[in-house]
Amino acid sequence: MPQPKGNFKGDGQTITDANEDSQWSFEPGAALGIYRNWVKEHGLEIVHNERLDRTGEGRAVNRGDGYWIAKPGTVGKGVLKEGNRITAIMMESGRKFAGRAFMDATYEGDLMAAAGVSFTIGREGKAIHGETLNGVQTVRSRWHQMVDKVDPYVKPGDATSGLLFGIDPEGPGEEFASDHRSQAFCFRMCLTNHEPNRIPFAKPEGYKEEWYELLFRNYEAGYKGLPWINSTMPNKKTDTNNRNGVSTDFIGQNYGWPQGSYEDRKEIRAKHLLYQQGLMWALANHPRVPEETRQAISNWGMTRDEFTDGGGWQQQLYIREGRRMISDVVMTQDHCQQVVEARDSVGMGAYNMDSHNTQRYVTKEGFVKNEGDVQTRVKPYPISYRSIVPKEGECANLVVPIALSSSHIAFGSIRMEPVFMILGQSGATAVMHALEQGVALQKVDYAKLRARLLADGQVLEHASSGGSVPSRNMKGIIMDDEDAKLEGSWTKGGTDGGVDAGYRHDRGAKDGASKATFVLKADKPGKYHVQISAVPEKNRSKNTLVKVDGTEFRVNQRANPSVDDVWSPVTEISLEKAGDVTVVVSNEGADGHVVADAVRLLAVE
């Protein structure tokens, strides 16, 4: 009997309240029923069991610095093109589908790659887009981490015995560097503890004990938790996902997926399924797992009435990342943090910039750690129309709302299915405008497209957007941190404020080595206020050193700015003639995080 709505409250990743108008947590079967009703209502023909002929598709290769990129122009056998337009696509079966426009709604970007569109795979290093959250990330990988002192060797303490399964002998790589690695995949599980509907976790045929040695050693080194996020859904079911150092993510086993053949992907999926089925059995039964953990896990199992063809296991492997298009606009960390604004919005992103771990490696101390996990909050931000269509010269009638033009870390935020649905709707609307206007998708009248999207209920801006304040709207002589001389170790921020292109902070180093020098040009003599943008937070320094033409002052960057909610006063100066004023923001003697954002000279009225 269905659970009454008033008795259900979501938690974990499915937070909801029984009093909300909409039900945001729902069973997979309920979602499938809705889709089937939509298909029936609109009389759509769904063609199953056909695969695009990918023979000769474009391939990304390492250009020599770890960055993998596919150059445009290589058109596969399965795509028929006239100039820069697709006229038809061919299936492996020989079946042909002609059309005036096409949408690639695959996680992998298969049609995009076969159509000769440029793309990338893996992670872009800091040198590509200037992103601090992209590339190799050992320092930031603090969450979903192994406990300390887990031995990586087959024979503990003996490096000559070889590494345990799942540890990358080539890792981790240089910090912030580009590489081919993709964030880990898993199967999202729908579990239940309702006995009539529960299928106990079973030991799978082909179970490999060596795959779980890190799980056992992680517990033996002190891990005490349950390695899952077991979020509730109605009718005593869950949406269960990866959590902590060794869990459902099959770290490092998916690198071949984005460009893999269909047979390659079938094998990768089967390996992931075997791993996760074996993991759940081990957690529930293996004697090297603590008894309290075994008891807690054993209360759960797969559901009999969900994914019935797979005994409760779904067909869809959770593809967190495949190919990513390279177009006229590449969505990056700066877009997500609203340092750069996409002014041709076709939808909003709002999820954290999030990457699951990509590899396991041996530290200099001789222990195993995970690498790649990044979790940075964002406010809702617009996604550019130009990021879901290729460059016009590459393809004029293709929309790519999923494998869109985005960096690895920005895709980590965009990659939510509701966002994909939003971008799919906007992309389909753009196609209709292009057909009506007789133009390429890249030449669609954005003003008309925007008006239709808004009329259809799309949300293209949000009240919390626009974290950075543009200096063009302010009085005075202003210099941003982008134009300052930076010494030491500054990290780029920008989610919750700042002037123009975000701000820099020293991550609380307190080492006296980080200095930002601003040289402002006063165009006439007179008295001036000297002010800095502080971007306050609880962790900021209350004793930040600011030098104005050599004279030292201390500024409380934890306090709220007192001038226009942006600026904190430093001092007043008198200039006998026009000339330069040098302002240095330093972390010498700081007692918290120091921010270097912008400096302003404002004439005293």
Side-chain angles (χ1 to χ4, degrees), residues 102-307:
F102 295 82
M103 178 180 286
D104 184 340
T106 65
Y107 286 104
E108 297 81 10
D110 285 344
L111 177 56
M112 171 193 71
V117 173
S118 52
F119 64 88
T120 185
I121 61 171
R123 299 183 289 183
E124 298 94 340
K126 187 176 179 181
I128 306 302
H129 300 298
E131 297 169 300
T132 59
L133 303 178
N134 212 338
V136 175
Q137 297 283 332
T138 62
V139 175
R140 291 183 182 274
S141 297
R142 300 186 298 271
W143 309 110
H144 303 291
Q145 187 56 271
M146 309 284 294
V147 299
D148 290 338
K149 298 185 178 180
V150 175
D151 193 288
Y153 303 113
V154 174
K155 183 179 179 181
D158 182 3
T160 64
S161 65
L163 294 172
L164 293 175
F165 173 82
I167 300 175
D168 193 332
E170 298 180 0
E174 184 180 348
E175 197 77 356
F176 302 120
S178 301
D179 70 9
H180 65 290
R181 299 179 176 94
S182 298
Q183 59 175 309
F185 299 168
C186 70
F187 285 90
R188 294 289 279 262
M189 297 182 294
C190 182
L191 305 181
T192 185
N193 60 359
H194 182 52
E195 194 60 34
N197 199 29
R198 185 176 73 92
I199 303 173
F201 298 122
K203 188 175 185 178
E205 183 178 352
Y207 171 84
K208 298 181 184 297
E209 179 91 355
E210 64 271 21
W211 285 6
Y212 310 101
E213 183 62 26
L214 285 175
L215 172 74
F216 305 143
R217 292 191 188 183
N218 200 47
Y219 272 111
E220 291 162 357
Y223 177 66
K224 299 183 183 302
L226 297 180
W228 64 17
I229 300 175
N230 211 27
S231 308
T232 57
M233 292 194 302
N235 295 316
K236 300 181 180 180
K237 299 176 185 178
T238 73
D239 168 24
T240 302
N241 198 10
N242 179 85
R243 181 172 179 261
N244 296 147
V246 185
S247 182
T248 58
D249 278 0
F250 201 16
I251 297 173
Q253 306 305 311
N254 62 342
Y255 303 156
W257 184 277
Q259 301 193 106
S261 67
Y262 293 123
E263 199 59 36
D264 291 337
R265 292 175 184 170
K266 182 179 178 181
E267 292 177 4
I268 292 171
R269 180 196 179 276
K271 192 175 179 180
H272 276 71
L273 181 61
L274 177 61
Y275 165 77
Q276 198 160 328
Q277 288 178 334
L279 173 76
M280 301 314 297
W281 178 85
L283 287 168
N285 297 280
H286 202 284
R288 290 177 67 187
V289 173
E291 182 179 359
E292 62 269 26
T293 300
R294 282 182 274 141
Q295 291 178 349
I297 298 291
S298 294
N299 289 330
W300 296 88
M302 311 310 293
T303 51
R304 296 184 185 278
D305 62 348
E306 299 284 355
F307 309 114

Side-chain angles (χ1 to χ4, degrees), residues 16 33-35 63 137 144 147 150 166 197 220 225 261 306 354 378 405-406 456-457 470 501 515 536 548 569:
T16 190
I34 290 171
Y35 274 108
R63 69 179 189 184
Q137 297 283 332
H144 303 291
V147 299
V150 175
N197 199 29
E220 291 162 357
S261 67
E306 299 284 355
D354 168 81
V378 303
S405 180
S406 169
D456 288 343
K515 298 178 182 179
V548 181

Side-chain angles (χ1 to χ4, degrees), residues 463-539:
S464 66
S465 298
S468 297
V469 181
S471 61
R472 64 179 179 272
N473 297 333
M474 302 181 198
K475 296 180 180 179
I477 301 164
I478 299 172
M479 175 176 280
D480 188 59
D481 59 284
E482 290 290 313
D483 300 313
K485 178 184 177 183
L486 301 174
E487 301 173 73
S489 180
W490 294 99
T491 297
K492 196 167 186 177
T495 303
D496 295 309
V499 172
D500 287 339
Y503 58 89
R504 299 308 208 284
H505 63 87
D506 73 336
R507 299 183 66 183
K510 304 175 188 176
D511 57 6
S514 295
K515 298 178 182 179
T517 301
F518 301 78
V519 180
L520 299 94
K521 297 185 180 297
D523 54 5
K524 59 183 179 180
K527 289 187 176 181
Y528 290 88
H529 300 286
V530 181
Q531 303 164 340
I532 64 170
S533 172
V535 197
E537 289 287 353
K538 292 181 180 179
N539 66 355

